[in-house]
Amino acid sequence: MLVLIKLMLFWQAHVNLAGGTDKEAAKLALEYVSRIEQNPCSGGTEETLDLNVNHTEWETYIQPAILTANFITSVILENNGSLDYFTDAMFFSLVRNIVNSHATLFGACIAIEPEIYSKYSLFAPYAYRKNGILFAHDISLSYTYQDNKTVWYFDLKNRVWENATRTVSKTKYRSGNTSLPGKEMVFLSAKLEDGHWTKPYFDCGGGNIWMVTYASPIFSLDLTGRPKFQGKASVDIELTNIDINQCDIDTRHSYSDFDVFRGTHRCPSTTEVI
Ligand SMILES: *[C@@H]1O[C@H](CO)[C@@H](O)[C@H](O)[C@H]1NC(C)=O
Ligand SMILES: *[C@@H]1O[C@H](CO)[C@@H](O)[C@H](O)[C@H]1NC(C)=O
Ligand SMILES: *[C@@H]1O[C@H](CO)[C@@H](O)[C@H](O)[C@H]1NC(C)=O
Ligand SMILES: *[C@@H]1O[C@H](CO)[C@@H](O)[C@H](O)[C@H]1NC(C)=O
Ligand SMILES: *[C@@H]1O[C@H](CO)[C@@H](O)[C@H](O)[C@H]1NC(C)=O
């Protein structure tokens, strides 16, 4: 009940401050937050919050996803379109490293197209942080990411990538104690704007936290030299700790759609000021 009262008070505060704009979004958000609060959730991530979000503040956290996607792309391009050079342990190491790169990151995932790692038809190593431990497993064993309901995969897979950024490189490999002549290669790389942001969602039954996922595409080149989608590397950013400050209504910062979360749940009782 207290939560609900706080929600109502906050909603009014937000609407006043926002001058009546975003009223529908705020209402939707509050209904959603209160539904999650009142009903112990039963698992899944299908419910999302349909708000317009400015991602700028999170851009530093997603760099490891872009770097990892581009690293995997370069391995594919140097190995004749295959990831068979990798081992399971290397994939798990990559996703653990992403999560370890910043405390704000909750999880990281690599998911690939069926033919690229011939060992498995589906493979999606995932790592996440819980109680200070990095857990990792293959989520494709219980979750079909190739399904067109999986927006973070389907959206990237169905885009036309003919204009993916190409970079010419010249690398002098080494043989014994000799430096070989420079080998020219064209690499493909995903940029920040090539990635897919999900809407904020409550990871029900998983982390039980608010998060947003950013996914960066992995490429190969097809026989005609065109970029071909081969998977993605993604990060799950935990919103609870950074943008959704649910414990105080802080008027020092400018208000955005995200501020609808302020003054809602998850506050130690000592900080309840309303
Ligand atoms: C998004 O936020 C950044 C700073 O956090 C700001 O510079 C930028 O103008 C904002 N973009 C939009 C479209 O509001
Ligand atoms: C690269 O792959 C193609 C088709 O998959 C194959 O025909 C070719 O022999 C391979 N080249 C090398 C160097 O392995
Ligand atoms: C998703 O896949 C199902 C079954 O393959 C198909 O019936 C449906 O039209 C697809 N939806 C979209 C949006 O492509
Ligand atoms: C790729 O670039 C060409 C030339 O600028 C343009 O005509 C084409 O529409 C672009 N394709 C996509 C998918 O953006
Ligand atoms: C390479 O150089 C090292 C150090 O000078 C030498 O010990 C080694 O025998 C060399 N290897 C070859 C294959 O020439």
Side-chain angles (χ1 to χ4, degrees), residues 85-161:
Y85 171 75
F86 271 19
T87 61
D88 291 12
M90 286 160 80
F91 281 107
F92 282 120
S93 175
L94 284 171
V95 288
R96 282 196 311 265
N97 269 344
I98 298 177
V99 180
N100 241 351
S101 69
H102 203 285
T104 296
L105 298 179
F106 174 77
C109 186
I110 293 168
I112 50 177
E113 285 290 273
E115 66 275 17
I116 200 90
Y117 186 50
S118 62
K119 195 171 173 184
Y120 308 117
S121 62
L122 290 177
F123 189 49
Y126 180 67
Y128 66 101
R129 192 196 307 273
K130 195 171 188 179
N131 303 326
I133 297 174
L134 284 179
F135 292 92
H137 64 282
D138 177 6
I139 58 170
S140 79
L141 292 173
S142 56
Y143 180 66
T144 314
Y145 61 88
Q146 294 276 342
D147 187 320
N148 60 14
K149 287 197 203 80
T150 308
V151 180
W152 49 257
Y153 199 81
F154 197 65
D155 171 60
L156 291 178
K157 184 172 176 168
N158 283 280
R159 276 198 229 162
V160 177
W161 292 111

Side-chain angles (χ1 to χ4, degrees), residues 218-236:
I218 293 167
F219 304 115
S220 67
L221 285 171
D222 71 12
L223 292 173
T224 64
R226 287 170 157 245
K228 185 178 176 201
F229 175 82
Q230 290 293 2
K232 60 97 207 184
S234 62
V235 288
D236 299 332

Side-chain angles (χ1 to χ4, degrees), residues 41-58:
C41 50
S42 56
T45 56
E46 274 166 31
E47 281 198 277
T48 57
L49 193 48
D50 198 16
L51 297 179
N52 293 318
V53 177
N54 181 343
H55 299 120
T56 311
E57 305 231 342
W58 305 329

Side-chain angles (χ1 to χ4, degrees), residues 178-205:
T178 314
S179 182
L180 298 174
K183 182 185 170 195
E184 188 170 308
M185 274 200 67
V186 175
F187 284 103
L188 294 168
S189 53
K191 302 281 182 227
L192 182 97
E193 56 273 22
D194 294 326
H196 174 86
W197 287 99
T198 66
K199 300 281 185 186
Y201 60 95
F202 192 77
D203 181 41
C204 199

